Amino acid sequence: QAQLEESGGGSAQAGGSLRLSCAASGSAFRSMAWFRQAAGKEREGVACIDSLDRPLYVDSVKGRFTISRDSAKNTLYLQMNSLKPEDTAQYYCAADPSGIFCYMIPSYYSKWGQGTQVTVSS
């Protein structure tokens, strides 16, 4: 059964960096995404990557975050630089096995990881 497992979360100072990883097992996924959910807020899309490795970003992270993947390792990454306190949230990896394009809409994705916490202090 396909599974996604995130790692790399933790604490950072504002202006610092973290890199999240999402290891996929049991299946290859064509489109993948990172979502986040802050306390008391709805889950929001952060970045996604489609079957041609074209990335999309939410405006609030453009220029600071980079989504990428290593197909040989079946692993998705999110490099987060210039972190801000408002980036504090539980971050989730999501994947769709068949989609050509990617969307930052939670209902588009059939597989989800368990999440990893990112906390940024000022």
Side-chain angles (χ1 to χ4, degrees):
Q1 186 173 355
Q3 290 186 322
L4 302 175
E5 184 172 359
E6 301 98 334
S7 61
S11 298
Q13 296 277 346
S17 298
L18 287 171
R19 189 175 85 152
L20 305 183
S21 299
C22 172
S25 61
S27 179
F29 298 99
R30 301 187 71 177
S31 58
M32 301 185 76
W34 288 99
F35 287 79
R36 65 186 179 188
Q37 188 165 18
K41 295 188 176 182
E42 292 186 355
R43 190 168 298 189
E44 69 165 347
V46 176
C48 68
I49 190 165
D50 71 9
S51 59
L52 297 179
D53 286 346
R54 294 173 298 191
L56 287 176
Y57 300 95
V58 68
D59 285 348
S60 61
V61 308
K62 283 181 180 177
R64 300 190 298 122
F65 291 11
T66 302
I67 189 171
S68 63
R69 66 170 143 197
D70 185 331
S71 296
K73 296 181 179 179
N74 213 11
T75 301
L76 179 74
Y77 302 100
L78 184 68
Q79 178 66 44
M80 305 185 293
N81 298 329
S82 302
L83 284 163
K84 302 177 180 181
E86 51 264 43
D87 295 319
T88 295
Q90 186 84 349
Y91 283 70
Y92 297 90
C93 172
D96 181 79
S98 59
I100 296 173
F101 303 107
C102 74
Y103 302 92
M104 287 189 278
I105 303 171
S107 59
Y108 182 72
Y109 299 93
S110 56
K111 295 296 181 182
W112 289 83
Q114 81 289 349
T116 185
Q117 178 67 33
V118 171
T119 302
V120 184
S121 57
S122 57

